[in-house]
């Protein structure tokens, strides 16, 4: 059974699209998926950013801190459902009221509301940076989120829209698994011509 490690930042719509594909892969392939937090805010520290993106990065600290605290206190198994609750509100839901998103998401998955208290401080930043560093150790720091590793071989991406469903999701995973087995394979890329398409990026079929 392949082990897939998936690093995400809930602020990123592209990570959201890829995560919905990963959930579909779980439904059509025999894989073990382990979810981890990375941080665009950490990644962009010290970089020259435009004002709009800087504001986005400043606001992105809170949710990743809450996710890390939730995993610390309640186990890594809470990461995916909490991320799904946050991301559903933010991405297909189109909401930007981060504090309310965090509070509602904690309640939805049955986690203590007090976890939201870590959002404004640095209590869990060492844990956050360590989780982020594990992704960067696999792929370098010239990438973004998501990072996907299959049996320890990691890449940035795939960046996809909309999220493939059913057998199409499985075939994409098979292709990614194939290239991870080539030691000298590093990169495929083309310019994006379409934004995230959320309406078909639902959870897997029952």
């Amino acid at each position: 059974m392949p082990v897939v490690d998936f690093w995400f930042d809930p602020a990123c719509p592209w990570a959201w699209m890829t995560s919905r594909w990963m959930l579909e892969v779980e439904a059509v392939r025999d894989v073990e998926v382990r979810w981890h937090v990375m941080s665009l805010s950490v990644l962009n520290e010290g970089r020259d950013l435009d004002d709009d993106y800087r504001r986005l990065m400043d606001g992105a600290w809170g949710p990743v801190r809450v996710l890390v605290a939730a995993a610390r206190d309640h186990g890594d198994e809470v990461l995916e459902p909490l991320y799904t609750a946050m991301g559903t509100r933010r991405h297909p839901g189109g909401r930007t009221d981060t504090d309310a998103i965090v509070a509602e998401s904690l309640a939805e998955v049955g986690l203590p509301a007090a976890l939201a208290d870590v959002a404004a401080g640095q209590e869990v930043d060492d844990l956050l940076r360590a989780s982020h560093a594990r992704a960067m150790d696999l792929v370098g720091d010239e990438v973004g989120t998501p990072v996907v590793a299959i049996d320890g071989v990691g890449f940035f991406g795939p960046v996809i829209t909309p999220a493939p469903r059913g057998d199409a999701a499985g075939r994409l995973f098979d292709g990614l698994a194939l290239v991870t087995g080539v030691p000298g394979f590093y990169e495929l890329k083309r310019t994006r011509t379409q934004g995230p398409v959320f309406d078909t990026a639902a959870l897997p079929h029952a």
Side-chain angles (χ1 to χ4, degrees), residues 30-50:
D30 189 17
V31 299
E32 177 189 353
V33 181
R34 303 186 300 200
W35 300 83
H36 312 275
V37 180
M38 63 182 295
S39 171
L40 290 172
S41 300
V42 172
L43 184 67
N44 285 287
E45 282 182 316
R47 296 184 179 180
D48 185 17
L49 307 175
D50 64 50

Side-chain angles (χ1 to χ4, degrees), residues 118-186:
V118 305
Q122 299 180 12
E123 174 187 340
V124 297
D125 281 11
D126 286 348
L127 291 173
L128 172 60
R129 291 177 186 278
S131 181
H132 178 85
R134 286 191 289 273
M136 298 298 97
D137 287 345
L138 292 174
V139 297
D141 61 1
E142 297 179 357
V143 301
T145 177
V147 168
V148 176
I150 301 177
D151 292 333
V153 179
F155 288 95
F156 163 58
V159 177
I160 47 177
T161 189
R165 306 290 301 276
D167 192 52
R171 291 196 304 271
L172 176 58
F173 177 79
D174 295 341
L176 182 61
L178 181 63
V179 300
T180 63
V182 180
F185 183 89
Y186 290 103

Side-chain angles (χ1 to χ4, degrees), residues 9-20 23 82-97 101 105 108 161-163 195-203:
D9 184 320
C12 178
W14 294 105
W16 173 256
M17 300 300 299
T18 308
S19 74
R20 300 310 92 182
L23 290 175
L82 183 55
Y83 172 40
T84 290
M86 289 181 179
T88 299
R89 289 165 170 80
R90 181 179 181 93
H91 298 300
R95 291 174 52 184
T96 58
D97 49 338
I101 288 171
S105 298
E108 178 180 321
T161 189
V197 178
F198 297 124
D199 58 346
T200 59
L203 291 175

